[in-house]
Amino acid sequence: MSGRAHAPARASSGYQVWVTGLLSLNFGILFFDRNALNFLMPFVQPDLGLSNTQVGLFSSALSLTWALSGFVVGRVSDRLGAQKAVVVFATLAFCLCSVVSGFATSFLMLLGARLLMGAAEGGVMPVSHAMIVGEVSPERRGMAMGVAQNLGSNLLGSGLAPILLVPLAVAYGWREGFYLAAAPGVITAALIWFTLREPPAVEHHDDAPRVTLRAAFAHRNVVLCALIAILLVSYLVVCWAFMPLFLTKGRGFDPGTMGWLMATLGISAGIGSFAVPALSDAIGRRPVMIAFSFLGAILPLGAIYYGGSAWLLGAIFFFGWALNGLFPMFMATIPAESVDPRLTATLTGVVMGIGEVLGGVLSPFLAGFLADAYGLAAPVWLMLVLCLAAGVLALGLEESAPRVLARRAASGRHPVTPGVVPSA
């Protein structure tokens, strides 16, 4: 067929909300499982006799297979158009890996479980973003991607996880935490299979040349987003891996206080999951990327230097962690708005993969080495350097928010960015 290929009409507003909410819940359960080991590490480390370097290797291992899986699964999904089935299969696989993690009796056994878990989980978010691009209206795309990636993952994975897992470990032991994480994923997998449709294909012209992955990386935004991913993924995984240890061993907080301080991060990111991308929909991606990257500096500085009330330290953690709301923007929204939207899953997988491999894999190992050599404050200093560098890179981004570009085009101030269809 020549000419224009029409996709089916976009789904109702209610269905768009359901798709976004269900994918957010599913990713939240996935992240509960990914973060479980970090919050349980004060109990796991002495039980298995682990060094700080070995602690870092767990995060590195999961990030490596997560990244490889995200890249491969994203490309396969784009080519086959089988997005729903991919998400369901991956969800069931990570539930199984969660149970295996609870059985671990040695460093190598737990390391193997984390490698398998990363492989199971890595493809979920790139494909979820592609489903949202296919179902959600462009003017709400930034907020929808933010909710899907950050709301559930942070309310459950960063907020609820330490509140549930730390008392559970104190009362019964750390293994039960992994068993707890497995069951909910089976429920969300069933809901996705039975209530979601396969998203319609992205509308395109048959005679329009498709943008290749190589051509996509010729765009400055894609390159900068990949570099920012390296830095901010490093910031997050170093915080998850070493902040619980720093708060308990370096600052002397009891496990309960550590648990709710870490839970503050989840509440912050849960709110930021829709507030930060929605703000970028209104005022632009670039200024939000710059401001919130620099704002992240107050968290490591507060963790190291603030000696007052734990409640005020919690407030510092809350505002500093707001940079978590940037993740769907540099991993999916900005690249998808800058080039051919049919590359959404592939680009998300590639940018996420670059961030996970060069940031998520290398930085925990580096942080663990620095902690063994210089003390547990060293990884926290590393976090400070990472977020400041991300803020500097964000200065070079080109604006891609549809509403902002539409206003500029209407006023004649700025040409429309390639790949973006302005929307009022």
Side-chain angles (χ1 to χ4, degrees), residues 355-370:
E356 290 282 1
V357 170
L358 298 181
V361 175
L362 298 180
S363 63
F365 178 78
L366 173 62
F369 173 80
L370 293 174

Side-chain angles (χ1 to χ4, degrees), residues 103-301:
F103 291 150
T105 56
S106 67
F107 165 73
L108 288 178
M109 187 174 178
L110 187 54
L111 181 66
R114 303 304 282 182
L115 286 166
L116 292 174
M117 186 176 296
E121 296 176 349
V124 172
M125 199 68 255
V127 181
S128 296
H129 278 314
M131 293 177 73
I132 287 174
V133 168
E135 300 286 13
V136 178
S137 301
E139 62 270 17
R140 291 187 289 271
R141 184 182 297 149
M143 185 173 68
M145 285 179 160
V147 168
Q149 181 165 337
N150 276 2
L151 182 59
S153 65
N154 287 290
L155 289 181
L156 299 181
S158 299
L160 187 61
I163 294 175
L164 288 181
L165 294 175
V166 173
L168 184 67
V170 171
Y172 301 104
W174 59 268
R175 300 179 188 278
E176 280 69 15
F178 291 108
Y179 307 146
L180 175 67
V186 178
I187 298 173
T188 56
L191 288 172
I192 291 170
W193 183 256
F194 289 111
T195 69
L196 299 189
R197 67 175 183 175
E198 192 66 48
V202 177
E203 190 174 87
H204 65 280
H205 290 279
D206 289 348
D207 56 353
R210 182 184 177 95
V211 179
T212 64
L213 190 59
R214 180 178 180 181
F217 269 87
H219 195 288
R220 185 170 73 189
N221 275 2
V222 178
V223 174
L224 287 174
C225 284
L227 294 175
I228 291 170
I230 296 171
L231 297 170
L232 293 188
V233 167
S234 297
Y235 180 99
L236 261 66
V237 296
V238 169
C239 184
W240 288 329
F242 290 97
M243 189 61 74
L245 292 175
F246 176 71
L247 291 174
T248 53
K249 294 184 177 181
R251 290 295 307 271
F253 289 108
D254 61 84
T257 303
M258 176 275 290
W260 73 256
L261 281 173
M262 295 301 295
T264 302
L265 304 184
I267 298 170
S268 169
I271 296 172
S273 68
F274 56 87
V276 174
L279 180 63
S280 78
D281 282 339
I283 71 171
R285 315 294 187 211
R286 183 176 178 272
V288 171
M289 286 289 301
I290 295 168
F292 283 87
S293 294
F294 286 128
L295 182 63
I298 69 173
L299 194 157
L301 289 174

